[in-house]
């Protein structure tokens, strides 16, 4: 496979006429050629979270309770408007950081591994796939943010946890540091493989789209490419997210293996695959929108910077 298959899309889409929305190279020179990937990823994730957070809350209720979307929406209505963005800070901090790590470390690991493998005959696809897996694994260090987000979104804990700081403080003082990493295993199982597929396929997918001849066309193509990948991967790894949500909704007690949590959910939902995937259709559309926004914003910012 060609070297460019897993490269950043912006590297293959030169600015028309050599123009940039900002003075050429000013921000890039300040940030450095590698650091800008972290900045662009962080801003792209921030934009996405603010736009899609209410959808994520509906999806979370479906994953946790196995209810229909209409019932999940009714639960949020009963909670009131003031609670709609309750739990926003953890995903805002977590996603902005993890997406920055995802794109930034992928570029850094790719560069380092490519230099190490130079002249050894190791295919570029292998080094870049390994770089993507390493970046995804590194993201898991921020599991405590997903943990706190889960607790703040679960209406059963509304009376116990007030906000992000209070939740962190309670978990650390009453249960210890380990409690913040409940649900780590399904996150690790999800992050590495999904990163490999995301970075490995977004190049080939974009190449199948109509050739863009303008900024708008490139933006649309990047949105479609990221959205299609995000939606597909969201469905593929959906059961792991169900396991993660169920595990992280528990406070205290023994840490249960992924398989045991999955079997518990399976039995509770009558051994129905359809019920296990309840919420998957909403997750599909949320991921389509979220990763479309992230990929398009990231690639646009790379061109601007």
């Amino acid at each position: 496979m060609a070297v460019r298959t897993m490269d950043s899309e912006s590297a293959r889409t030169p600015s028309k006429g050599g123009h940039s929305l900002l003075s050429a190279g000013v921000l890039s020179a300040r940030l450095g050629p590698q650091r800008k990937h972290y900045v662009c990823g962080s801003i792209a994730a921030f934009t996405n979270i603010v736009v899609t957070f209410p959808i994520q809350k509906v999806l979370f209720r479906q994953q946790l309770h196995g209810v229909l979307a209409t019932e999940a929406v009714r639960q949020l209505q009963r909670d009131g408007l003031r609670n709609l963005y309750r739990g926003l800070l953890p995903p805002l901090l977590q996603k902005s950081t993890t997406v920055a790590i995802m794109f930034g470390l992928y570029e850094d690991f790719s560069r380092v591994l490519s230099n190490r493998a130079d002249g050894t005959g190791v295919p570029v696809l292998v080094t870049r796939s390994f770089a993507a897996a390493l970046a995804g694994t590194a993201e898991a260090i921020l599991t405590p943010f997903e943990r706190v987000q889960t607790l703040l979104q679960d209406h059963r804990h509304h009376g116990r946890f007030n906000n992000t700081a209070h939740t962190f403080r309670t978990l650390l003082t009453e249960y210890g540091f380990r409690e913040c990493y409940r649900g780590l295993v399904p996150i690790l199982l999800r992050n590495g493989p999904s990163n490999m597929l995301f970075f490995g396929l977004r190049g080939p997918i974009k190449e199948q789209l109509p050739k863009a001849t303008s900024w708008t066309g490139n933006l649309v193509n990047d949105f479609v490419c990221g959205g299609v990948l995000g939606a597909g991967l969201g469905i593929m790894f959906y059961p792991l997210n169900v396991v993660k949500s169920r595990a992280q909704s528990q406070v205290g007690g023994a840490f249960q293996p992924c398989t045991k949590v999955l079997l518990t959910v399976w039995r509770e939902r009558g051994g129905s695959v359809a019920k296990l995937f309840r919420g998957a259709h909403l997750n599909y559309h949320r991921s389509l929108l979220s990763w479309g926004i992230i990929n398009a914003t990231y690639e646009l910012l790379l061109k601007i910077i």
Side-chain angles (χ1 to χ4, degrees):
M1 186 175 290
V3 172
R4 63 196 182 97
T5 298
M6 296 183 74
D7 284 343
S8 172
E9 300 305 325
S10 62
R12 302 201 300 272
T13 313
S15 177
K16 197 168 185 65
H19 290 88
S20 173
L21 299 183
L22 295 177
S23 298
V26 173
L27 284 178
S28 184
R30 289 183 178 181
L31 294 174
Q34 284 79 44
R35 196 179 304 171
K36 69 176 182 179
H37 292 282
Y38 292 93
V39 174
C40 293
S42 182
I43 296 174
F46 182 94
T47 304
N48 162 62
I49 287 296
V50 172
V51 172
T52 64
F53 187 74
I55 303 175
Q56 172 59 33
K57 290 202 77 168
V58 173
L59 174 62
F60 169 76
R61 295 293 175 88
Q62 290 191 274
Q63 289 177 340
L64 186 60
H65 304 301
V67 298
L68 296 174
T70 51
E71 172 57 26
V73 171
R74 279 196 290 268
Q75 286 183 11
L76 294 182
Q77 288 175 333
R78 289 194 293 269
D79 290 345
L81 187 61
R82 61 175 296 184
N83 285 317
L84 181 61
Y85 274 86
R86 176 183 165 89
L88 173 66
L89 185 59
L92 204 59
L93 296 173
Q94 182 258 345
K95 199 67 176 178
S96 296
T97 307
T98 56
V99 174
I101 289 173
M102 173 184 171
F103 284 106
L105 282 186
Y106 168 68
E107 294 293 335
D108 286 346
F109 283 140
S110 293
R111 187 180 65 259
V112 172
L113 292 174
S114 293
N115 290 338
R116 294 272 184 175
D118 190 31
T120 64
V122 177
V124 173
L125 177 61
V126 173
T127 58
R128 289 191 174 273
S129 295
F130 192 46
L134 285 175
T137 302
E139 291 174 47
I141 196 173
L142 296 171
T143 293
F145 287 109
E146 288 196 52
R147 172 77 166 117
V148 170
Q149 178 189 356
T150 297
L151 294 176
L152 289 176
Q153 290 188 36
D154 188 348
H155 67 281
R156 296 173 301 181
H157 296 300
H158 279 185
R160 184 174 186 185
F161 300 111
N162 299 329
N163 51 45
T164 300
H166 179 256
T167 306
F168 270 122
R169 187 165 59 249
T170 301
L171 291 178
L172 289 170
T173 56
E174 295 185 13
Y175 300 97
F177 182 76
R178 186 166 179 260
E179 185 69 25
C180 293
Y181 278 87
R182 189 181 289 271
L184 174 63
V185 173
I187 289 174
L188 285 171
L189 292 175
R190 176 197 68 190
N191 283 9
S194 63
N195 262 22
M196 290 172 65
L197 291 170
F198 180 83
F199 286 111
L201 294 175
R202 67 180 187 145
I205 288 176
K206 187 173 182 181
E207 288 174 355
Q208 300 304 311
L209 298 175
K211 185 174 177 62
T213 58
S214 65
W215 277 88
T216 303
N218 278 310
L219 194 65
V220 171
N221 280 357
D222 288 328
F223 180 91
V224 171
C225 176
V228 168
L229 265 175
L233 294 174
I235 294 294
M236 185 181 300
F237 293 97
Y238 191 78
L240 283 174
N241 282 324
V242 172
V243 170
K244 177 194 75 74
S245 294
R246 173 57 67 90
Q248 292 188 333
S249 67
Q250 177 184 340
V251 180
F255 280 57
Q256 298 181 340
C258 285
T259 51
K260 186 175 181 180
V261 176
L262 182 60
L263 286 173
T264 299
V265 175
W266 174 264
R267 285 194 296 266
E268 288 178 356
R269 301 185 185 182
S272 169
V273 174
K275 290 183 178 179
L276 179 63
F277 275 83
R278 183 160 282 174
H281 70 289
L282 182 60
N283 183 66
Y284 176 89
H285 292 98
R286 180 195 65 85
S287 296
L288 185 71
L289 178 62
S290 293
W291 282 102
I293 292 173
I294 289 173
N295 197 53
T297 305
Y298 172 78
E299 294 293 342
L300 177 62
L301 288 171
L302 281 183
K303 295 180 182 74
I304 292 174
I305 294 177

